[in-house]
Amino acid sequence: MTRAERANLTGLAGVTASLDQPASADSTTVLGELVAPENDDWVDDVEQEMMADQLHGALDRLEDLPKQVLTMRFGLDGSTPLSLQATADRLGIGVRRVRRAEEEALSELRDDTDVIAVHEPA
């Protein structure tokens, strides 16, 4: 490689561009939209979404109290998971009733065909 070629290459490394600038003069697309996301394993994202849909479908088949208990205990609605006592306090019932409802719900989910299908090897 000649000195001139090396000089040209070092000049390229110094080029900077804003990700907010248009991709071309006649484009409404900005450069940032063209950059691939860091997590390029979209299959895992799709798989996680499908599992979440199946879980919520299984939860919808539960009675109201067990569904509420699991949602609170495991933070299935995106909130922070709660202890048995905190769940009991929120629902206005005893800790024993929360524990029973949780056990019932988990037992039903173990037997749910959609939940079983998620865990079977492909």
Side-chain angles (χ1 to χ4, degrees), residues 4 16 22 27 30 37 42 53 60 62 71 87 91 94-95 100 105 113-114:
T16 58
S27 175
V30 295
W42 59 271
D53 289 345
D60 287 341
L62 294 174
T71 300
T87 302
L91 294 173
V95 172
R100 268 197 320 267
T113 55
D114 287 341

Side-chain angles (χ1 to χ4, degrees), residues 31-50:
L31 288 177
E33 292 174 0
L34 302 176
V35 177
E38 285 186 35
N39 180 7
D40 59 351
D41 192 5
W42 59 271
V43 174
D44 284 343
D45 294 340
V46 170
E47 198 171 77
Q48 288 295 329
E49 187 67 31
M50 289 173 66

Side-chain angles (χ1 to χ4, degrees), residues 66-97:
K67 178 181 176 179
Q68 286 179 319
V69 167
L70 284 189
T71 300
M72 290 180 183
R73 292 279 292 133
F74 296 102
L76 299 177
D77 59 356
S79 62
T80 302
L82 299 177
S83 66
L84 285 170
Q85 184 64 55
T87 302
D89 291 344
R90 288 241 177 117
L91 294 173
I93 58 177
V95 172
R96 287 183 187 165
R97 183 64 188 117

Side-chain angles (χ1 to χ4, degrees), residues 50-60 76 109 115 118:
M50 289 173 66
M51 286 174 52
D53 289 345
Q54 288 172 323
L55 172 63
H56 288 290
L59 284 173
D60 287 341
L76 299 177
L109 290 177
V115 174
V118 169

